[in-house]
Structure formats: C-alpha cells, structure tokens
C-alpha cells in the first residue's frame, strides 16, 4: 500500500468521520481539520489515540499548512437550519475555505476533492438531474449562502484546473443519511426518526409532496473514495441513490418501522425548498462502475436502530 497523508476538512462531521475511519483503516495518515460548528467530537473520539490521526480544531477559512497528498474538502454545515443560522459564515466557509484548499493543493501537488451538492441544481426544472443541467438557483434567497457558495467553489476548482492544471475532483452529493448523524441536526431523516422514537409529532413542511432521493452513508463513502482514486475523471459527478420518495412517504415508512403513535403535523414550507430532487447516476455508473446497494428500507432500519440506542443512552 502507498501510505498517504490525507487531509479531511469537516472530518468531525457526519460524512467526514466516515472518511476518517475508512482511511485510517486502510493505513493512511489522517489530518482532520474541523471547527466543531456542526460536527461532533464523539464522531472522532475512537481515533484520538491512533498515532496516524491528528485533529486540528480550526476554521477552514483560516490558513492551514501541512504536507498532504489528498484533500477531502468537506467542511461546511449541510443542514438547512444550521447553514442558515450564520449565512455569511456559511458562504465564507465555501468560498474562502476552497481558496485555502486550492492553495494548499497547489503547494504540495495534492489532489483536491470538493464536496459539492445537489443544491447546485436549486429547485430543478428537470428530473432526474444530470450533470450538464445548469440548475435553477435563487441567488438572493435564504438558501443562497449554501447553494451559491458551493457553486462558487466548483467555479474556482474548474478555473484552477484549466489554468494551473490542479488535480481536482468534484462530487455532487445528494441527500445522504445514516448512523452518526446528529439527533438534532435538523435534516429530515434524523428529525422524523427521532420524533417517531420519542412519540413526538412528525413535522411535515408544506404538503409533504416534495420529493428527495436518499442515499445510505456507506454507499456514498464507497463512491467518494473510488472517485478520489480514479484517474482521468474530474467530474462533476452526481452521487446519490435515485430512489425518489415524497416526505409523506418517508414519514409513513418511519412511523410504520418504529411502530410509533406519532401523528403527522403540517408546518410552513421553508422558502425556496426544492420541489423535487433525484440524481441521474449514469455518469458515476459508467466512469466508476458504482451504484448504491442499500435500499431506503434497509438503510432506515439501520438508522432507526442507531438512534434508538443513542436515545436510550442520552435521553
Ligand atoms: P455535517 O454538518 O455533519 O459536517 C460538516 C462538518 O464541517 C462539521 O464537522 C462541521 O463542524 C465542519 N465545519 C463547518 N464549517 C466549518 C468551517 N468553517 N471550518 C471548519 N469546519 C467546519 O455535514 P455532512 O452531512 O457531513 O456534510 C459534509 C459535506 O458534504 C458538506 O460540505 C456538505 O455540504 C456536503 N454534502 C452533504 C450532503 C448530505 O446529505 N449529507 C449532501 C450534499 C453535500
Ligand atoms: N422536511 C420536513 N420536515 C422536517 C425537516 C425537513 O418536511 O422536519 C423537508 C424539507 O422541507 C425538505 C425535505 O424534508 O423538503 C428535505 O429536507 P432536508 O433539510 O433534509 O434537506 P434538503 O434536501 O432540503 O437540503
């Protein structure tokens, strides 16, 4: 094995902590840079005694220097209520964060992956979404700090690639869920599962007829690592599970699986909430030979089991 120095920004978060574990298990040296804004120190506690793991508590906006071979730039809150809580900082995280990472990658001739998002398609006018679709994004709304920050990061990556031959990878991640999401993260799967297990009302925003496509975390981490180690393919590439469900269907599944007595309650739909989202994953399948294996039912069972034991220990 060719041991690498791997920087994972946002490494204490939901996806980042899976990336830390996979790379440590594979024998690499991992630097996790995280300001713990939405991440959880418990996600990385199991690695703290590993001599191959370094935790740097720092904002990605601030300069950082260490010799690295690969950079996974995952620092950024992903939950809408959390990224909207400090929108200016969210925008700076994407824009100034990627600027720092591009400079670091250039200095050490490292490969840089950006965690982009299905949000670059905004409220899509076509479905499923293909990578060639330019999207339908409100540049001045409450989601724009996230959407436009991520779009800008893609722009900077592509310009550095074209002008300086920077070794880049762009993955557009669709809604991903699974064990070790924060119980109060605010995203729909964790909200519904925790509400159902506690017997609280299930909060449906709007009519509940808006759709999302949910990818189980282990499937997503597989393709992220395969993308990082692929050659002659920079992306952008959609990664996610094309199984599409309405929020009402999701709520009904969670209620049935938990046997909960929770009732569905309807609340205001947040501004600019996309009406549909479904990835076309033909490109990932063609270039990386990947497709997700875990269906929503199986992934929900694992996620419910995780939150059930978490709530028993912490509630
Ligand atoms: P998360 O909130 O669990 O993790 C983000 C991590 O980044 C946290 O540990 C947080 O503390 C850290 N962070 C945030 N701002 C930072 C800053 N300025 N400096 C340093 N660290 C900072 O979210 P996640 O679901 O793990 O998402 C990880 C990445 O993947 C994000 O970039 C997100 O935009 C992207 N993404 C995730 C999804 C998804 O469904 N999970 C979908 C699309 C894109
Ligand atoms: N949602 C909901 N109830 C909740 C949380 C979210 O109905 O308690 C809806 C939200 O309005 C959106 C979808 O679920 O239509 C997915 O929301 P999430 O925040 O998980 O991710 P998004 O895809 O919007 O970034």
């Amino acid at each position: 094995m060719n041991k690498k120095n791997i920087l994972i920004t946002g490494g204490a978060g939901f996806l980042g902590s899976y990336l830390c574990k996979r790379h440590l298990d594979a024998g690499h040296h991992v630097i996790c840079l995280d300001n713990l804004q939405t991440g959880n120190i418990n996600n990385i506690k199991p690695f703290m005694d590993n001599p191959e793991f370094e935790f740097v508590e720092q904002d990605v906006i601030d300069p950082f220097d260490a010799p690295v071979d690969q950079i996974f730039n995952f620092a950024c809150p992903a939950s809408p209520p959390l990224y909207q809580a400090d929108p200016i900082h969210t925008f700076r995280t994407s824009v100034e964060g990627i600027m720092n990472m591009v400079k670091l990658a250039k200095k050490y001739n490292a490969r840089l992956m950006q965690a982009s998002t299905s949000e670059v398609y905004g409220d899509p006018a076509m479905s499923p979404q293909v990578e060639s679709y330019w999207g339908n994004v409100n540049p001045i709304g409450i989601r724009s700090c996230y959407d436009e920050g991520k779009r800008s990061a893609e722009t900077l990556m592509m310009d550095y690639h074209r002008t300086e031959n920077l070794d880049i990878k762009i993955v557009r991640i669709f809604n991903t869920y699974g064990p070790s999401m924060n119980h109060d993260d605010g995203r729909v799967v964790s909200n519904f599962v925790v509400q159902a297990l506690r017997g609280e009302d299930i909060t449906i925003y709007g009519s509940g007829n808006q759709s999302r496509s949910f990818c189980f975390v282990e499937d997503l981490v597989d393709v992220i690592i395969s993308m990082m180690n692929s050659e002659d393919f920079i992306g952008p590439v959609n990664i996610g599970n094309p199984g599409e469900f309405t929020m009402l269907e999701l709520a009904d599944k969670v209620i049935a699986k938990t046997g909960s007595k929770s009732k569905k309650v309807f609340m205001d739909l947040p501004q600019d909430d996309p009406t549909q989202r479904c990835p076309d994953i033909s490109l990932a399948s063609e270039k990386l030979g990947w497709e997700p294996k875990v269906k929503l039912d199986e992934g929900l069972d694992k996620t419910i089991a995780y939150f059930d034991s978490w709530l028993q220990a912490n509630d």
Side-chain angles (χ1 to χ4, degrees):
M1 191 211 62
N2 181 9
K3 183 174 171 184
K4 296 190 181 72
N5 279 341
I6 298 182
L7 172 63
I8 302 172
T9 77
F14 168 48
L15 299 180
S17 55
Y18 278 82
L19 287 172
C20 290
K21 179 167 186 346
R22 288 278 188 104
H23 286 105
L24 289 169
D25 288 349
H28 298 294
H29 184 80
V30 170
I31 306 170
C32 164
L33 183 153
D34 200 300
N35 67 356
L36 297 180
Q37 188 184 325
T38 56
N40 189 337
I41 196 79
N42 289 326
N43 286 339
I44 53 171
K45 255 200 189 129
F47 321 136
M48 287 296 196
D49 292 335
N50 186 331
E52 296 301 340
F53 183 74
E54 286 176 62
F55 174 49
V56 181
E57 188 171 346
Q58 193 202 292
D59 201 301
V60 73
I61 289 170
D62 298 326
F64 176 76
D65 193 351
V68 287
D69 303 301
Q70 292 185 343
I71 304 169
F72 292 82
N73 188 37
F74 277 60
C76 188
S79 159
L82 301 184
Y83 70 63
Q84 288 162 23
D86 187 350
I88 294 167
H89 189 255
T90 298
F91 190 73
R92 293 185 63 194
T93 293
S94 281
V95 175
E96 296 177 37
I98 194 66
M99 185 58 96
N100 281 338
M101 291 305 122
V102 154
K103 286 181 186 155
L104 187 66
K106 212 175 136 33
K107 179 169 179 185
Y108 293 105
N109 210 13
R111 178 169 283 181
L112 170 62
M113 174 183 281
Q114 167 65 2
S116 191
T117 166
S118 52
E119 284 287 312
V120 299
Y121 302 120
D123 188 4
M126 71 173 291
S127 196
Q129 292 86 56
V130 288
E131 290 85 350
S132 53
Y133 176 53
W134 289 353
N136 178 31
V137 177
N138 178 356
I140 55 168
I142 58 171
R143 294 176 87 98
S144 314
C145 59
Y146 184 78
D147 301 8
E148 296 291 11
K150 292 284 188 179
R151 285 169 68 97
S152 303
E154 286 198 12
T155 305
L156 191 77
M157 298 267 292
M158 290 304 297
D159 283 334
Y160 263 87
H161 176 70
R162 280 187 288 257
T163 61
E164 313 243 355
N165 208 22
L166 193 78
D167 188 1
I168 64 161
K169 301 274 176 184
I170 300 173
V171 286
R172 291 183 178 158
I173 304 169
F174 284 63
N175 298 62
T176 302
Y177 69 99
S180 88
M181 291 183 94
N182 281 338
H183 75 287
D184 57 356
D185 170 88
R187 283 179 275 187
V188 69
V189 174
S190 45
N191 272 11
F192 285 3
V193 171
V194 169
Q195 288 163 346
L197 290 171
R198 284 179 171 157
E200 295 169 353
D201 289 341
I202 306 275
T203 53
I204 311 269
Y205 301 162
S207 67
N209 290 317
Q210 70 273 32
S211 70
R212 294 292 186 274
S213 303
F214 298 103
C215 188
F216 189 64
V217 59
E218 298 278 8
D219 275 337
L220 192 92
V221 173
D222 285 346
V223 71
I224 288 173
I225 292 172
S226 136
M227 175 65 174
M228 183 57 125
N229 295 310
S230 67
E231 298 304 326
D232 305 320
F233 178 46
I234 64 170
V237 62
N238 291 338
I239 52 174
N241 188 320
E244 189 176 3
F245 297 86
T246 67
M247 295 313 100
L248 283 175
E249 287 170 330
L250 177 69
D252 289 339
K253 269 187 190 295
V254 170
I255 290 169
K257 282 178 179 297
T258 52
S260 175
K261 295 199 169 23
S262 292
K263 300 271 170 294
K264 289 175 278 189
V265 295
F266 291 84
M267 304 174 71
D268 287 345
L269 186 69
Q271 188 192 319
D272 293 338
D273 198 281
T275 46
Q276 57 184 350
R277 200 178 282 149
C278 179
D280 181 318
I281 57 164
S282 336
L283 188 63
S285 164
E286 179 201 324
K287 297 282 188 186
L288 305 168
W290 173 82
E291 55 181 52
K293 298 188 189 81
V294 182
K295 298 252 186 305
L296 182 59
D297 276 302
E298 186 190 342
L300 275 181
D301 289 341
K302 292 182 174 168
T303 308
I304 289 167
Y306 165 79
F307 277 118
D308 196 20
S309 64
W310 191 91
L311 290 173
Q312 281 181 33
N314 293 282
D315 254 1

